[in-house]
Amino acid sequence: MGVKAEPWQTAEIAGPKKALLILKPEVVVAMVKRAKRPILIVGHLAAEDYSDDVKMIDYAIRMSRTATIPVVATAHMTTEFIKRGFQPAGWMPAMDIGNRLKDPEWKGLDGTGPYDLAMFMGLPYYMEFVILAGLKHFSKGLKTISLDRYYDPHASWSFPNLSVKDWNEGFKIILSKLGEK
Amino acid sequence: MQLAKKGLVVKVKELKTDVAVVKDLEVSIGRISEETWAEPIGPTPFPSITDLREWDFKLLQRYKPFYLPFCDVCCLCTFGKCDLTGDKRGACGLNMAAQQSRIVLLACCIGAATHTGHARHLLEHLIEKFGRRYPIDVGGISVDVEAPVTRLVTGIRPKTLGDLEEVLDYCETEVTHLLAATHTGQEGSNIDFESKVLHAGMIDQVGMEVADMVQISAYGFPKADPEAPLTEIGFGVADVSKPVILVIGHNVPSSVGIIDYLTDKGIYNKVEVVGICCTAIDITRYSSSLAKIVGPISWQLRFIRSGIPDLVVVDEQCIRADALIEAQKIKAPVIASSPENCLGLENRTKSPAKEIISDLVEKKVPGVLILDPEKVGEVAVETVMAVAPKRKKFNVIPEVKEIIKAAQECTQCNECIRACPNNLPIPDAMKAAAKGDLNPFAEILENCVGCARCDSACPNDFPLHSFAIKAGEKNLIAEKFKIRVGRGAIQDVEIREVGGPIVLGEIPGVVALVGCANYPRGGKEVAEIAEEFAKRRFIVVTSGCAAMSIAMVKDEEGKTLYEKYPGGFEAGGILNVGSCVSNPHIAGAAIKIASIFAKRNLRANYEEIADYVLNRVGAVGVAWGAMSQKAASIASGFWRLGVPVIVGPHGSKYRRMLLGRKDKKEDWYVYDARTGDKVYGGPAPEHLFTAVETKEEAMVLIAKLCMRPNDTTKGRAIKLTHYVDLHKRLYSVMPDDVHLFVRNKADVPLTMKEEILKILEEKGWKERRIPDPTLLPRLIRKKKGD
């Protein structure tokens, strides 16, 4: 894995407060295990990136099933999930889920309470960048993780910029340590 | 009685009579009144930045800002940089929410100032040419309400060019006040900043309306013509055997000067005049036979680097700042023609034309600034005819072997893809090019916004954008399409015919596809959205670069959408109103529905009309490639009027959305004007401003945002049919909020009855009344106890 905390899109500079680097996949595992109410938000690029063999959506489904994490599909991603025999917990525009996660009064998709960990993958980089910025500044008690293979400085935690191979291997470790069988 | 904002002021420097010599005499006669308009003046003529604040707060209470800070600090004064992370405040006391809304206001001020400045240039030029008394005529007898936005906002009914001077005085004053509010130590509330954003948008609409009114009237553009002629558009439309003048920008007088000179000299068949961006749209409104459109703003570099233009004329707005540098690369002289965009060139406005032409032809200067449209015409035409034979279409597009060589030297450092707004796989294309395969580069060009940040980023200085142009060369040359020339206003009779069906919901909506070309996946998606909704019998209205992108797709028979669908404001129509400054015709159509169809007073009656539009007119704006500050101000003008706007994913960088929360029932109550009761109206429209990821998401949301509390049961059933159908087709599931839009069982589409009734039962749905909706207590006709 690389170790530089550089935004993937060169000019998307953030700070002073920037995401901590996920240098070991175990960090994600620990965050998920520690979270009481995690949620996974999956954008449309998850069905396209990163290669013919490695699609983020498949990892999202495996992660959701392994760790019992509800998935919110943004854009038209429900179609892709359903194609794969997976029913997301909800679907809504990325801006809407961002807006709700910002609200400490929101009771979540199941009406039982706010989430304490939001993980993102598959949104256009710049869109995820600004949504995570909104959450960094305006949410209360919410940690965020960018699970894409790009460093997103507005998350609480983010992978550095990774090759597809490194991302793939890292995610396999995450799934394994979360208890995937 | 019409009150003019300003009185008559006569100034006399020196007056000599038999009895006295008077110096510096100034006589002021108060306000001028005119007894010509029976409609009573409304409550808010020439509204100040606080006059419509209450209306804004009503909107902002429902559609709360979701801030998306693009930057964590403020660097606008020497206190800074200030870290505004979380709940920190800067040295001036401002917090992050207020800072974000302040930046949005700055953007909208830039947009409004740009359109107002554009209008001022046009008005001054046309008054000089035609006189103050030249009549405003945007549609002859077909258009009685000639200036719906201006009437609504200012309360005046302009009849001549001269009448518009005070309208622009007003706009300029308001923009100055708005800009002043962004100074350190001024406005401190984010919600008040947001109110000012809405004010900037409203002013922007007035400025744009003035600009388009005067150019339609004085230049004889199509006047509300549903059958405005078709003209050519595309990279391949220029006859390259002739000298080619390329015009770029938005303000058309210098391009008109070129056409007039060619016509006057009888040499119009000797020179090609082609344009990029809105100047191109407007010059074809002036002459659909003598001018052609190359494409939207993203076509600038590809066309210049191709070497086709022999001379480039730039006016103002959306022109690449490096246009002069790029033109120099292909040895084409440049004429700058706007005070807003001088490019560092010497002002030769007062030089004799022959001298300027000689200097350009002899390459003594790379370009000149000429602030006289007629002189631009003469210099451009005479220069291009002398330069073209020497240039021989010199271009800077590399040969294939050069690309392969560069690709073989590429280090795969990824700087190009990291600079690309659309994350296009340029390194992969270089890998393929190294093996002689340029197809991936050709694919990149299809989705490229033409920014050339990849060129700038490359440490080896490879001209990567030019590599893509070369790879896509065959497709570019084959680009020839038909676009309907901008028609201008919507006729009053068209409004009478569709006003009822729109307000009742039987025409499911008006979709306005507008804005720039910062598309996530090329312009074809705009055409796909347009056709989807035209087929569904919505009214599709378009302008600017979006209008061009809609034209640049052909079906299997070789027809474009403008050839397949009517140009009238009717169900299933696709109508190009014109350039950016034509957007108020779209807002104007919504206003005219309230005025002409519903007989609401229009004059200086902004709040009531906006309330009408918000609750009854199912219109949605879509700026799929929104990029500029002008696009921001255009959008904000629609928000204040109650028209929701969707932007493409890049629009998320506007750093603030205005989002409703359908899960908060309390946000969606309206007054029933019949009884004064507060009634749940449902989340319609759900948002005022939002960015979406994909065209599929946009389509579903467009259909949803067309619903309004006032829809009749028949209308709501039609709208629900489209919403549910699109949702099921594109999302593969039923919408999870359909129960919020069903007020009684008659709203349920017959063909979907079984599945929707099942959902209603599961959700514990209860029937509710359809109100006569308003957010304004003063419009309640009968209060409790009356």
Side-chain angles (χ1 to χ4, degrees), chain B residues 5 12 72 89 135 138 142 347 361 411 429 435 448 469 522 527 539 555 611 682 701 736 746:
Chain B
K5 182 77 172 172
V12 180
D72 296 326
R89 289 184 183 270
V138 298
S142 303
N347 187 350
V361 174
T411 61
K435 295 173 189 164
C448 173
I469 296 168
I539 301 173
D555 68 5
D611 179 69
L701 195 56
D736 57 2

Side-chain angles (χ1 to χ4, degrees), chain A residues 6-18 42-45 48-49 74-80 82 87 90-100 102-103 105-107 122-138 140 149-150 153-154 161, chain B residues 64-73 83-88 96-97 100 414-415 417-423 453 520-521 648-653 655 657 659-664 686-687 690-697 701 704 727-736:
Chain A
E6 284 183 350
W8 171 247
Q9 289 204 324
T10 312
E12 305 281 31
I13 306 294
K17 186 180 175 185
K18 291 188 289 185
V42 183
H44 79 282
L45 292 174
E48 299 174 20
D49 292 348
T74 70
H76 59 284
M77 279 298 284
T78 42
T79 298
E80 296 296 331
I82 288 166
Q87 184 68 37
W91 61 91
M92 65 177 79
M95 286 299 165
D96 283 18
I97 183 65
N99 192 35
R100 281 161 174 72
K102 179 203 73 174
D103 176 6
E105 305 293 314
W106 186 48
K107 299 297 181 196
L123 290 169
Y125 180 80
Y126 51 87
M127 206 170 179
E128 192 169 310
F129 180 93
V130 291
I131 291 173
L132 286 168
L135 296 175
K136 177 171 89 175
H137 289 283
F138 299 106
K140 307 284 178 205
R149 69 179 181 95
Y150 306 120
H154 286 304
N161 296 326
Chain B
K64 293 186 174 67
F66 176 32
Y67 294 111
L68 308 157
F70 208 31
C71 180
D72 296 326
V73 298
D83 174 16
L84 301 178
T85 304
D87 55 6
K88 289 179 185 171
M96 181 55 99
Q100 294 310 301
N414 282 337
E415 290 298 315
I417 187 173
R418 292 181 61 201
C420 177
N422 283 336
N423 210 35
R453 287 203 320 218
R521 289 172 191 246
H650 285 294
S652 61
K653 291 177 241 175
R655 67 192 80 192
M657 305 286 115
L659 303 177
R661 285 281 296 272
K662 64 186 176 189
D663 55 324
K664 293 191 169 185
E686 186 182 353
H687 300 306
T690 193
V692 300
E693 284 175 68
T694 64
K695 69 169 193 287
E696 291 86 351
E697 186 180 4
L701 195 56
K704 181 155 77 160
H727 201 287
K728 283 173 73 174
R729 196 182 92 205
L730 299 172
Y731 288 17
S732 304
V733 285
M734 277 292 285
D736 57 2

Side-chain angles (χ1 to χ4, degrees), chain B residues 660-680:
Chain B
R661 285 281 296 272
K662 64 186 176 189
D663 55 324
K664 293 191 169 185
K665 194 175 178 184
E666 64 274 19
D667 287 351
W668 303 100
Y669 279 79
V670 294
Y671 292 107
D672 185 339
R674 288 181 293 254
T675 62
D677 293 339
K678 276 201 148 186
V679 178
Y680 177 64

Side-chain angles (χ1 to χ4, degrees), chain B residues 372-452:
Chain B
D372 172 348
E374 280 78 26
K375 186 170 276 181
V376 170
E378 180 183 357
V379 172
V381 171
E382 297 297 340
T383 303
V384 82
M385 289 201 294
V387 164
K390 296 181 182 180
R391 278 193 66 253
K392 295 177 182 158
K393 301 296 178 195
F394 179 79
N395 70 69
V396 289
I397 304 299
E399 295 299 324
V400 171
K401 62 182 179 188
E402 294 173 67
I403 299 173
I404 293 172
K405 183 171 178 293
Q408 287 167 346
E409 291 168 13
C410 172
T411 61
Q412 294 284 307
C413 69
N414 282 337
E415 290 298 315
C416 49
I417 187 173
R418 292 181 61 201
C420 177
N422 283 336
N423 210 35
L424 295 173
I426 303 165
D428 291 348
M430 286 293 267
K431 267 187 199 166
K435 295 173 189 164
D437 177 9
L438 293 190
N439 288 321
F441 258 124
E443 284 174 30
I444 280 173
L445 193 67
E446 294 292 310
N447 295 332
C448 173
V449 296
C451 70

Side-chain angles (χ1 to χ4, degrees), chain A residues 3 7-8 36 43 56 61 69 88 93 111 113 140 150 167 169 180:
Chain A
V3 290
W8 171 247
K36 290 177 184 153
M56 279 188 281
I61 292 169
I69 301 171
K140 307 284 178 205
Y150 306 120
W167 182 89
E169 284 172 7
E180 185 179 54

